[in-house]
């Protein structure tokens, strides 16, 4: 007997939100900390700005992700209601539409008609949602899940550079925060790629380079202006 396959597409909704949140938490908080530290601020001011960035960022990610995914959910719900009304008014046309979809996918017309009729009897709305609209139980938008995953992962990511900043003396703070954050970004990229079944090396390099660039630019801006904004 072949072993059961474990497809990763079912992880796409929460994995996207979690990776985005953690990456943003590390990069934005580390960039904020290095920028404020480069502006010759006190250790207390650096930590305060980092903590404020963590809280504000987590709340912003949760709100933004919820609103975004909720919009997608509303569109899906509206399309399903439209399809439900059409099934009640034009059941024959909807059945023929389903037949044409299956014929287009390679079935003979006779077989397509049999499949369409059986699926319509079983659950007409589900058949049209899946095969006509591309909406299935596995890819439905889940606003609350996305918001919680984004907020939690952002806070977790932001806590890493903040923890480093809390224990490292101010003169060495920038180097340690950037170094630790780059290492965390590399691990995050590899873990996300592994969870999604993608090659780990390229993902880790891509995330690391972009994150390091963002932190370096922010530190440069802080050093250039020498002022805490």
């Amino acid at each position: 007997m072949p072993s059961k396959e474990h497809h990763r597409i079912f992880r796409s909704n929460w994995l996207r939100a979690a990776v985005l949140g953690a990456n943003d938490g590390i990069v934005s908080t580390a960039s904020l900390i290095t920028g404020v530290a480069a502006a010759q601020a006190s250790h207390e001011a650096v930590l305060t700005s980092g903590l404020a960035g963590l809280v504000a960022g987590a709340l912003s990610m949760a709100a933004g992700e919820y609103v975004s995914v909720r919009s997608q959910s509303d569109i899906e719900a509206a399309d399903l209601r439209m399809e439900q009304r059409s099934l009640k008014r034009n059941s024959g046309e909807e059945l023929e539409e389903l037949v044409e979809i299956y014929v287009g996918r390679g079935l003979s017309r006779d077989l397509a008609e049999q499949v369409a009729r059986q699926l319509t009897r079983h659950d007409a709305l589900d058949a049209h949602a899946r095969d006509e609209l591309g909406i299935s139980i596995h890819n439905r938008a889940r606003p609350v899940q996305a918001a919680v995953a984004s907020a939690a992962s952002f806070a977790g990511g932001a806590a890493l550079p903040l923890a480093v900043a809390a224990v490292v003396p101010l003169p060495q703070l920038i180097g340690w925060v950037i170094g630790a954050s780059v290492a965390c970004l590399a691990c995050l990229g590899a873990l996300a790629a592994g969870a999604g079944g993608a090659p780990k090396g390229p993902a880790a390099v891509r995330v690391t380079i972009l994150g390091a660039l963002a932190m370096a630019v922010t530190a440069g801006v802080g050093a250039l202006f020498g002022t805490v904004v």
Side-chain angles (χ1 to χ4, degrees):
M1 292 292 291
S3 59
K4 186 177 180 180
E5 296 175 322
H6 297 283
H7 295 290
R8 297 176 175 86
I9 189 63
F10 309 127
R11 305 173 181 173
S12 59
N13 284 333
W14 66 263
L15 182 60
R16 179 194 61 81
V19 171
L20 175 63
N23 183 83
D24 197 18
I26 294 172
V27 174
S28 62
T29 306
S31 297
L32 179 62
I33 288 173
T34 54
V36 174
Q40 307 301 315
S42 66
H43 202 177
E44 290 76 12
V46 171
L47 296 180
T48 300
S49 64
L51 181 60
L54 185 156
V55 175
L59 295 176
S60 176
M61 286 291 293
E65 194 71 18
Y66 180 84
V67 171
S68 174
V69 179
R70 181 69 191 190
S71 297
Q72 179 185 345
S73 178
D74 290 341
I75 292 172
E76 292 176 353
D79 276 351
L80 290 173
R81 288 194 297 269
M82 183 187 303
E83 196 66 29
Q84 183 70 71
R85 291 193 298 267
S86 184
L87 284 168
K88 291 180 179 179
R89 293 196 299 258
N90 308 302
S91 58
E93 293 180 7
E94 289 295 328
L95 178 62
E96 182 60 27
E97 190 174 31
L98 209 55
V99 171
E100 293 298 331
I101 290 173
Y102 297 145
V103 169
R105 292 180 181 177
L107 297 183
S108 66
R109 178 161 293 275
D110 288 342
L111 181 56
E113 289 179 354
Q114 293 179 40
V115 172
R117 291 183 185 280
Q118 289 188 26
L119 290 178
T120 298
R121 284 196 296 269
H122 175 69
D123 190 333
L125 182 60
D126 179 70
H128 283 272
R130 181 182 60 252
D131 296 322
E132 181 183 347
L133 304 177
I135 301 173
S136 74
I137 190 174
H138 300 298
N139 63 10
R140 288 291 300 272
R142 295 178 174 85
V144 174
Q145 181 191 64
V148 171
S150 293
S153 58
F154 183 97
L160 296 171
L162 186 59
V164 174
V167 299
V168 174
L170 188 59
Q172 292 84 40
L173 187 146
I174 294 178
W176 273 95
V177 168
I178 291 179
S181 298
V182 166
C184 290
L185 286 172
C187 293
L188 174 64
L191 287 173
K200 297 180 180 180
V205 171
R206 181 173 59 248
V207 172
T208 300
I209 291 176
L210 293 175
L213 180 62
M215 287 180 278
V217 170
T218 309
V221 170
L224 178 64
F225 288 96
T227 304
V228 180
V229 180

